[in-house]
Structure formats: C-alpha cells, structure tokens
Amino acid sequence: MKYAFYPGCSVESTEREYVDSAKEISKVLGIELVEIPDWNCCGAVDAVYAFNPLHSVALAARNLALAEKMQMDVTTLCSACYFTLSRTNKILEEDSGTKSKVDAALESAGLKYNGGVKVRHFADVLLSDVGLEKIKENVKVPLNNLKVASYYGCFLARPPGICNFDNPEHPTRLDELVEALGASKVNYYGKTRCCGASLGITNEKIMLKLSKDVLLSAKSAGANCMITACPLCHLNLDAKQKDIESHFHIKIDLPVLHFTQLIGLAFGMESNQIGLQRNCVSPKMIIPLFASNTQHK
Amino acid sequence: MVHEKTEHDEEVKTVQQVVNSESGKDFLREVMKMPGGEKILGCIQCGTCAGGCPTRFAMDYSPMQIIKMINLGMKRDVLSSSTIWVCSACYTCATRCPRNVSFTTLMMSLKNRAILENMVENSVDSNFHKYFFEVVNKYGRIHEPELLVKLMDKTDLRSLQHNANLGLRLLKKGKLRMRAPKTEQNKWVNNMLEKTSEKVSQ
C-alpha cells in the first residue's frame, strides 16, 4: 500500500515524534509513505484563508497537483491539513470562478490540477485499508488495564461533507482501534470539543480553558491516558498541559499520546522508537500497567 | 416551473422589511455573496449555534446574534466585534445548524472583510493572521519560531512568557525545529502566490 504522504508544517516543526511513530508502525503494517516532493503549507484552516481565501486555496491546490502526479491517495497525520486539503477539493469542484484563478496560479508554478485526488487522514488509512484484523495480528503487548480517552477534536469528522472520517457527533472509530489494541475505551464529554487551536497564540486564556475542559472530562471519566490524531491538538493538550495546570491551580497529569504511539506500544516497540521521550507529560507512568502482558505467539 | 410559496419565502420577506437603510441592505447582500453567507436568510434564530459554541463565553455577541445583526445591516458592530476573532473555527455550529448556515466559514469571510476595511478592533487578533501569511509567503511553509518572534512585542507580557516557556519546553524535548523550512522550488510557490495576491490590502 503506497500513499502520497503530506506531513504538514506543524508535524514537522513541533511534533516530530508523531511522524516517527507513524513511520515505524507503517513498516510493520506494510504501508509505504512517499513524501510529496517539495510540499508547501496546506493553506491553513483560517490563518491564511481569512487574510486571502484565494491564496489559501492556491497553496492547498499546489500540494494536490503535486500529489496528482504521483497517482496515489494523499494521506496526512494532521486533522487540520486533512480539512484544508479536502475543503480545497470541494471549492475547486463547486466554484468555477475560483478554479479558473487557481488554475492560472498553478500554471505560473508549472503545474496543473485536474481534481479528484483523494485526501485521507492516516487514521482512515489504518482503519479502512489495513483494517482492525491486521492491526490485531500485530499486537505483541495487549494494552490491558489501560483506559484510553480517544480525542477526536474538530476536523476528523467535522464539518460533514468535507471531513468524513466518522460520525460528527458520536465518533467511535478511534475507540474501536483502542479496543483492538487490548485497552478499554473511555466515554467522556470532551471527545469532540475543540482544544482551542490557534487561539493559544492570540487569545491564550480561552485555549487554556477549552483544553482544560477536554482533559478534565477525560480524567474524571477514568482515563489514564489520552490519544490524539492531530499535532495541533497534541501541542495544546500535552505541551501546554503545564500552563493549564498553573493557570487554573490544578493538577491534571494526564499523558497524551499520538494514536500512532499507542499502536507502537501495543506492537511491542521501544519507547525511543516511537519518540515517547519527547512527550511533555511523561507517559512513563502508564507503561507498568501493561508491560507484563507480552504475548508469546 | 412554478415557484411555490414556502415558509422560507415569508421569512425572507419579513427579514427584508426589517432592513430599512440602503447601506444595511448593501451589507446583507454583500454577506450573502461571501463564502458561508449564502444561506444566512434561512436562519430561524433557534440558538443551536450559540448553545454549542465552545467559545461563546468569551464573545461579545453570540453567533446567533451576529446573524441577526447582519440581517439588520449592523456592519460596523459586526466587523469590529470580538466574536469573529474568538471563533476557534471548530465547525460545531455549522455541523448542527438545522438550516445549513455555514457560520464557521462565514466567520472567516468576516475576518477577511474586517481586515480589508480596517475595522479590526484589537490588532493582536489580526496580527496573527497577518504574520502567519507573511511567514508562509517567505518560506512556503510556516516557521513557528519566526512567527512567534514576530508576534512577541505585540502581545501581552503574560502570554509572551507563556510562549517563551512553551518554546523552551519544546526545545528541551528536541521537538522544536529552529532551522527555517526550505522548499526547494520556493520560487514556484512565490510565482504562484503573486498571482493570487492582487486582492490583498496592505
């Protein structure tokens, strides 16, 4: 299975362990991630779009045009990139005025985009193309005793019609993955609530409150760790957890893993192999919960 | 084909009667042409958007109120509101709206209009967008350290300290890439972006 891999800026510049762990589990599952050569910014959810919508669409379209040449589905680890690239496909299909301007812009970059390149979140590649059965076959250390809160955030399944990974209000696919790895799922209020996204830069107090609500609702529902499928969510929930704690004078201490890291753990990979040492809230405390479960097949 | 009179038509009529000034009508018409504004006349003021909005607590007007204000032609109040910048673009309202108003997309269009018409009340809000745009134009990708440095003297001290702490935390973990991103054929990106830059106000 080969895919045109779109890493995205955020994964590259602040969340490298997400890519590392995705590549490690890809090797095991027979997935080949071929990086789109010379990819650029996806156009951003609203930072570029609000400043100049056409600009944002053109940026995304350039990535899609580069991917079209590769004749593979595009896959990305970032929910926000998943949204912007998919949105661009929709805009180009529906808005001929924008399309002709974007075509002209692409032409000046020596490119052409015919349309219809499929954009997929990496979680969808794992669940739809690889399948839970094959994932289960590779589990060496079942994650029994681990209660995992799957965080879907905004762009895995919203807005419907653009991001179609799961049901927008009651998503379950990551929970099914969690159970396939031997862990148990946690139902909690915050699983589709926003983490605050880029408000962390412009309006930090709002972001701190939003992420606090997500983390505390998972914690009070009994979770001993959380998984995310987006580098931006991970940054707010993991790297900024300390800021949340000091702002609200509370203790949370909930390890937040990239979902690819959780798979890596169940596959019996070493902590360093999946970059666990780079998580800001140390996941060390959850390892003893399942470390003795090694299956001898 | 005969157009049957629907309840929706009645609503449209009522709303149109409320709009009394010419400039008010212009603003409503303008918004209806923006991405996300197409179905705004269908709003029945049910409040689902405001009820589900995670950042409502920090907004001066709720999403539902903003739609009403647009219908009433209150351009200045809408474009200088904190609401459009406090929206985190989570798409909860757009997902739940029973009348399919894509309010989240409209928020982005309104941000764009507020920037173009110089009506942004607090420049901290739009500076993020401005600098993000500049950094992407420079490298073709975003370069977080440069973006944060550009924003530094513009934000308040507390959040400045938080950003610095976050930067250090990421550096210590070996996660923060300090080197600027390099797109090999950056000139192609630049060529392309020149084509789409005509409309941007400086």
Side-chain angles (χ1 to χ4, degrees):
Chain A
M1 284 178 273
K2 266 183 164 185
Y3 299 89
F5 180 51
Y6 180 78
C9 307
S10 187
V11 160
E12 226 202 11
S13 64
T14 57
E15 301 285 335
R16 51 182 287 197
E17 73 281 2
Y18 191 12
V19 192
D20 294 344
S21 54
K23 286 188 174 160
E24 286 299 323
I25 61 168
S26 291
K27 276 187 223 159
V28 175
L29 296 169
I31 300 169
E32 200 181 327
L33 298 174
V34 188
E35 189 166 323
I36 298 174
D38 200 36
W39 55 272
N40 55 262
C41 167
C42 70
V45 174
D46 101 334
V48 178
Y49 190 84
F51 212 75
N52 182 345
L54 192 59
H55 212 97
S56 168
V57 175
L59 280 166
R62 181 173 178 274
N63 294 316
L64 294 169
L66 291 170
E68 194 172 51
K69 288 198 221 166
M70 298 164 75
Q71 297 183 314
M72 300 170 201
D73 285 1
V74 172
T75 188
T76 177
L77 293 165
C78 175
S79 300
C81 300
Y82 169 53
F83 166 74
T84 38
L85 296 173
S86 307
R87 167 179 71 187
T88 298
N89 262 337
K90 192 157 190 264
I91 292 174
L92 293 178
E93 264 168 39
E94 293 174 357
D95 179 352
S96 55
T98 301
K99 184 167 187 335
S100 62
K101 285 179 198 156
V102 169
D103 281 346
L106 285 176
E107 205 186 319
S108 71
L111 289 165
K112 185 173 172 14
Y113 180 49
N114 297 307
V117 169
K118 266 198 196 150
V119 180
R120 324 251 315 264
H121 194 285
F122 186 63
D124 183 49
V125 167
L126 291 184
L127 293 167
S128 301
D129 297 3
V130 176
L132 284 178
E133 280 314 308
K134 186 160 182 197
I135 293 173
K136 271 185 200 163
E137 280 168 23
N138 286 286
V139 172
K140 293 201 178 81
V141 189
L143 307 177
N144 306 336
N145 303 328
L146 203 59
K147 291 178 190 152
V148 183
S150 301
Y151 179 66
Y152 295 81
C154 301
F155 293 124
L156 266 186
R158 272 199 312 260
I162 294 180
C163 297
N164 299 317
F165 174 74
D166 207 337
N167 181 298
E169 298 285 0
H170 302 290
T172 55
R173 293 182 78 195
L174 289 180
D175 298 279
E176 286 158 22
L177 172 69
V178 162
E179 288 180 324
L181 301 176
S184 46
K185 64 179 178 189
V186 173
N187 285 320
Y188 67 110
Y189 160 82
K191 73 182 195 178
T192 60
R193 296 298 275 176
C194 179
C195 71
S198 63
L199 288 175
I201 296 173
T202 55
N203 235 320
E204 197 188 28
K205 277 186 195 163
I206 302 177
M207 174 252 125
L208 294 174
K209 183 195 177 300
L210 263 49
S211 282
K212 178 202 73 171
D213 290 349
V214 169
L215 290 164
L216 283 186
S217 72
K219 183 107 181 169
S220 60
N224 40 32
C225 73
M226 178 179 273
I227 52 166
T228 59
C230 172
L232 298 163
C233 302
H234 192 264
L235 188 81
N236 282 346
L237 297 167
D238 177 54
K240 295 198 117 185
Q241 201 175 114
K242 234 185 177 153
D243 298 322
I244 299 169
E245 291 181 331
S246 69
H247 183 74
F248 292 100
H249 308 291
I250 50 171
K251 194 92 195 123
I252 302 175
D253 228 2
L254 185 70
V256 183
L257 279 68
H258 302 285
F259 77 103
T260 47
Q261 289 179 316
L262 191 78
I263 299 174
L265 281 174
F267 285 4
M269 292 174 179
E270 294 298 323
S271 293
N272 285 1
Q273 208 180 342
I274 49 175
L276 278 186
Q277 76 282 7
R278 296 192 202 281
N279 291 39
C280 291
V281 180
S282 171
K284 270 186 193 149
M285 59 175 126
I286 61 167
I287 310 266
L289 291 173
F290 54 83
S292 57
N293 296 342
T294 315
Q295 271 179 356
H296 299 284
K297 281 188 180 173
Chain B
M1 202 168 76
V2 185
H3 177 68
E4 278 184 39
K5 233 173 158 28
T6 62
E7 271 178 41
H8 176 71
D9 293 335
E10 283 305 310
E11 276 170 34
V12 171
K13 212 172 144 196
T14 324
V15 172
Q16 281 172 341
Q17 279 164 358
V18 181
V19 180
N20 41 23
S21 69
E22 272 309 308
S23 66
K25 279 182 209 160
D26 286 347
F27 184 53
L28 176 59
R29 279 191 212 108
E30 220 182 298
V31 171
M32 287 172 68
K33 281 186 205 145
M34 295 176 185
E38 306 87 350
K39 295 182 180 167
I40 194 170
L41 285 183
C43 172
I44 51 171
Q45 292 283 297
C46 69
T48 303
C49 51
C53 176
T55 59
R56 164 69 185 102
F57 71 95
M59 292 172 168
D60 43 10
Y61 304 105
S62 79
M64 176 175 82
Q65 284 172 313
I66 290 284
I67 295 184
K68 191 73 187 173
M69 287 158 71
I70 292 169
N71 278 328
L72 295 173
M74 297 161 72
K75 179 175 180 176
R76 181 160 286 278
D77 300 83
V78 169
L79 295 185
S80 59
S81 71
S82 74
T83 303
I84 58 179
W85 301 99
V86 165
C87 169
S88 66
C90 74
Y91 274 91
T92 305
C93 58
T95 300
R96 295 179 180 170
C97 177
R99 304 290 286 175
N100 292 322
V101 178
S102 187
F103 189 72
T104 319
T105 308
L106 179 59
M107 286 294 92
M108 296 177 199
S109 302
L110 292 174
K111 280 178 192 165
N112 179 250
R113 189 51 52 102
I115 294 171
L116 290 177
E117 303 214 10
N118 235 334
M119 283 197 194
V120 184
E121 193 75 356
N122 180 356
S123 63
V124 172
D125 294 325
S126 57
N127 275 341
F128 168 68
H129 295 72
K130 184 170 171 238
Y131 294 138
F132 193 103
F133 187 79
E134 282 177 15
V135 174
V136 166
N137 280 9
K138 187 169 164 190
Y139 298 111
R141 294 180 193 173
I142 197 66
H143 179 36
E144 258 92 359
E146 185 162 331
L147 177 65
L148 288 179
V149 168
K150 271 175 181 280
L151 281 163
M152 277 209 169
D153 53 343
K154 306 289 200 288
T155 45
D156 64 287
L157 279 175
R158 234 183 61 86
S159 96
L160 179 75
Q161 196 194 349
H162 269 189
N163 282 343
N165 285 345
L166 176 69
L168 285 175
R169 209 174 297 149
L170 295 175
L171 264 181
K172 233 166 81 186
K173 289 283 179 183
K175 288 164 70 126
L176 190 64
R177 192 202 45 198
M178 296 302 287
R179 195 168 29 85
K182 201 177 73 187
T183 37
E184 283 163 30
Q185 303 166 38
N186 199 24
K187 64 174 175 138
W188 292 120
V189 180
N190 289 337
N191 277 355
M192 184 184 80
L193 295 184
E194 270 169 32
K195 287 261 177 195
T196 59
S197 288
E198 297 146 21
K199 277 182 165 180
V200 186
S201 78
Q202 287 305 330

